[in-house]
């Protein structure tokens, strides 16, 4: 006799930043909660093969680069500098392990059931979970379902991932020794971050981008500065260049590229394909369920993350919007609170975006071009880190903060930064943005001296023509 599905208030399919946060918030609100995750660990792309391991490698390689090139200026002499890639990778794995263990602890603390295995959503909000290693199938009758199945890397038809030489982010995080020549296809965030890791350690890195610039969609001044700085660091940036074919030949990869009618074959020992990610609909039979999806397979939702199916919500990389962990997390909170009957709703106006190269890049709001194209008359304030005392003490004078305000009302429209630790500095501007601040509001706030954050104040004052230190 078939066993009856176990009842649950909420079943979340996927335990990434969207899913685990939704599960924790639902449990906090007193709902009995199950989270289905098929991976060996919780945390999804972000914790296992995305944000966290990439930042661990970026930190390690940044220290190496400092020791190799910048320590001398501080009077620090280092001889016999080496890089032990195995230790660096183990450290990265340990950092990931600390995070995944932390999530297991949070699940226990909040009495969330982790249903280990692959979940399939059936009609009537039944979720079947096929356990690992033929351990059998269990099923849950959910009052509410949250789909948080994330995304997967896009493959090129002629370069199927083997994760040995033809790499997605997964393989690029485990290259066992410094490559001679890493070819990166895609000049977006992931390509530039992972390319930077291996370039800092001594690899030749060539980035091929189809569009006329790297970091498409970011503010023009930021793209210009990032292009200048990253090229100077040694990344070979080939823009407006098309990859027409590619193949693996033993331990080599051969990549055919074309630009302005001229063709060339690049030879490397690895190729990282970072041309984007697409929503994952693993376990979600869109046609059978009658679920509404968009052109790229993204699940369509309203501002409370409801799909067209009764009591079925969707969040994170599998719904429209930027594929970012913090976006997925906020959507998870909104879905859980909506299920609990609260009035939460999602908006994307103040969603920061960061690139963890060094210098870092951070942005929130409109680019100058978007603001002008949208018919706004704007005032721009720009303050360089070369004029900031704290940046000088750290030897980090590259980059700037750019403030864009409405010329008539002084409303803050956007802020874009290239520079040291701007991933942290942007938080102040996000707060200002969220509360509808003006550049005057930010400019009159006391900022401690000497700090990098003074560059934010000065850029805000700059939009009013009142910057002091420039
Ligand atoms: C290299 C890299 C670096 C990144 N760096 C950053 C960064 O610095 N900052 C940032 O904000 N974002 C970053 N991202 C993006 C970020 O990782 C994603 O936006 C985020 O992980 C999305 O969260 P999610 O919960 O929607 O999906 P995911 O994290 O993809 O999680 C989905 C989970 O669902 C599970 N799953 C799928 N289908 C099923 C099923 N049927 N049954 C059971 N389980 C299932 C998967 O195993 C997975 O664990 C990075 C991504 C990459 C690849």
């Amino acid at each position: 006799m078939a066993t009856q599905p176990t009842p649950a208030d909420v079943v979340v399919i996927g335990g990434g930043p969207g899913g685990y946060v939704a599960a924790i918030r639902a449990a906090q609100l007193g709902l009995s909660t199950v989270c289905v995750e098929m991976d060996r660990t919780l945390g999804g792309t972000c914790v296992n093969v995305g944000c966290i391991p990439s930042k661990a490698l970026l930190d390690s390689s940044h220290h190496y680069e400092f020791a190799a090139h910048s320590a001398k200026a501080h009077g620090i002499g280092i001889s016999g500098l080496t890089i032990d890639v195995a230790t660096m990778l183990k450290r990265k794995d340990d950092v990931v392990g600390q995070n995944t263990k932390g999530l297991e602890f949070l699940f226990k603390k909040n009495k969330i059931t982790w249903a280990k295995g692959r979940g399939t959503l059936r009609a009537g909000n039944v979720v079947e979970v096929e356990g690992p290693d033929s351990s059998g199938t269990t099923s849950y009758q959910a009052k509410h379902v949250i789909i948080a199945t994330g995304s997967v890397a896009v493959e090129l038809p002629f370069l199927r991932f083997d994760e040995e030489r033809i790499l997605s982010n997964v393989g690029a995080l485990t290259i066992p020794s410094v490559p001679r020549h890493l070819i990166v296809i895609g000049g977006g965030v992931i390509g530039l971050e992972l390319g930077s890791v291996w370039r800092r350690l001594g690899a030749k890195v060539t980035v091929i981008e189809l569009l006329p610039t790297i970091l498409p969609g970011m503010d023009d001044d930021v793209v210009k500065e990032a292009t200048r700085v990253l090229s100077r660091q040694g990344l070979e940036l080939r823009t407006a260049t098309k990859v027409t074919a590619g193949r693996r030949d033993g331990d080599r990869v051969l990549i055919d590229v074309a630009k302005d009618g001229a063709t060339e074959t690049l030879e490397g020992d690895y190729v990282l394909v970072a041309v984007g990610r697409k929503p994952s609909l693993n376990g979600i039979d869109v046609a059978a369920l009658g679920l509404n999806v968009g052109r790229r397979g993204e699940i369509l939702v309203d501002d409370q993350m409801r799909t067209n199916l009764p009591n079925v919500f969707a969040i994170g990389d599998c719904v429209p919007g930027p594929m970012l962990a913090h976006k997925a997390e906020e959507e998870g909170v909104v879905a859980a609170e909506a299920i609990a009957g609260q009035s939460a709703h999602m908006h994307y106006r103040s969603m920061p975006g960061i690139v963890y190269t060094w210098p870092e890049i951070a942005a929130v709001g409109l680019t100058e071009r978007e603001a002008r194209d949208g018919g706004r008359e704007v005032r721009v304030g720009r303050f360089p880190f070369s004029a900031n005392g704290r940046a000088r003490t750290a030897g980090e004078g590259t980059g700037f903060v750019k403030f864009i305000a409405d010329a008539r009302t002084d409303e803050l429209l956007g802020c874009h930064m290239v520079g040291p630790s701007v991933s942290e500095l942007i938080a102040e501007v996000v707060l200002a943005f969220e509360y509808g601040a003006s550049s005057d509001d930010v400019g009159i706030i006391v900022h401690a001296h000497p700090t990098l954050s003074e560059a934010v104040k000065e850029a805000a004052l700059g939009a009013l023509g009142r910057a002091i230190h420039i």
Side-chain angles (χ1 to χ4, degrees), residues 13-20 36-39 41-52 54-55 117-120 148-151 169 173 189-190 193-194 277 280-284 315-318 322-328 354 356:
I13 306 178
Y20 81 70
V36 189
E37 173 53 61
M38 64 187 179
D39 211 348
T41 47
L42 296 169
T45 303
C46 172
V47 175
N48 293 286
V49 288
C51 327
I52 297 298
S54 62
K55 266 82 256 178
R118 178 174 178 272
T120 303
T149 44
S151 61
N169 56 298
L173 290 163
V189 181
I190 293 174
E193 288 186 2
L194 294 177
R277 297 180 65 81
S280 162
L281 294 169
N282 195 326
I284 313 296
I315 57 172
D317 281 7
C318 65
M323 291 190 176
L324 294 168
H326 43 277
K327 176 232 181 214
I354 317 262
Y356 293 82

Side-chain angles (χ1 to χ4, degrees), residues 64-133:
Y64 179 82
E65 185 155 64
F66 175 82
H69 302 296
S70 308
K72 213 164 140 198
H74 293 260
I76 304 169
I78 300 170
S79 58
L81 184 68
T82 59
I83 177 73
D84 175 354
V85 174
T87 301
M88 186 183 76
L89 295 180
K90 179 175 178 311
R91 176 187 171 279
K92 178 249 322 171
D93 292 340
D94 290 346
V95 172
V96 169
Q98 288 158 13
N99 282 270
T100 57
K101 289 270 168 333
L103 293 177
E104 285 183 41
F105 164 78
L106 291 175
F107 269 32
K108 284 201 184 94
K109 180 184 157 198
N110 288 286
K111 301 189 172 47
I112 297 163
T113 302
W114 173 8
K116 296 185 183 178
R118 178 174 178 272
T120 303
L121 178 59
R122 304 281 181 211
N125 294 350
V126 170
V127 179
E128 280 174 13
V129 183
E130 207 182 305
D133 311 322

